[in-house]
Amino acid sequence: MLIGIIFVLGIANFAVHKAVIESNHPLLDTLPASFRARGGRFSLIFEFFVLLAAMLLAGSGWRAAVWGYAIYSVINGVTAWLLLNRRI
């Protein structure tokens, strides 16, 4: 159950992350070139490793990983909403 929750949040995080990368927001120009190169592939790989770590921790019975990843997802969602709606 815990891994399933993290997996669903991970799908949402990847979708939001890709939408932000494709938005070409001026704030993205402040990121290091390695995060922007090849369509943001490095940043998506980093996102994958965050998801993998959370799933492994949750699979080991560490419930705090679910809460931590949920908070991370909310922060990602709010930030993406701010960027995509040009509020920043």
Side-chain angles (χ1 to χ4, degrees):
M1 178 70 172
L2 298 178
I3 294 175
I5 292 169
I6 291 178
F7 182 74
V8 171
L9 290 172
I11 291 171
N13 278 334
F14 273 100
V16 165
H17 193 111
K18 189 67 174 171
V20 168
I21 290 171
E22 291 176 353
S23 73
N24 292 326
H25 191 279
L27 190 61
L28 296 176
D29 293 335
T30 63
L31 293 174
S34 61
F35 278 92
R36 292 178 281 132
R38 296 185 181 142
R41 192 167 293 169
F42 181 74
S43 61
L44 289 171
I45 291 170
F46 179 77
E47 184 79 39
F48 170 76
F49 281 116
V50 171
L51 172 62
L52 180 64
M55 290 179 81
L56 288 172
L57 289 170
S60 297
W62 198 36
R63 292 178 180 253
V66 178
W67 285 107
Y69 197 74
I71 292 168
Y72 171 75
S73 298
V74 168
I75 292 169
N76 273 348
V78 170
T79 304
W81 180 78
L82 289 170
L83 289 173
L84 295 174
N85 289 311
R86 305 288 182 181
R87 306 239 180 214
I88 294 180

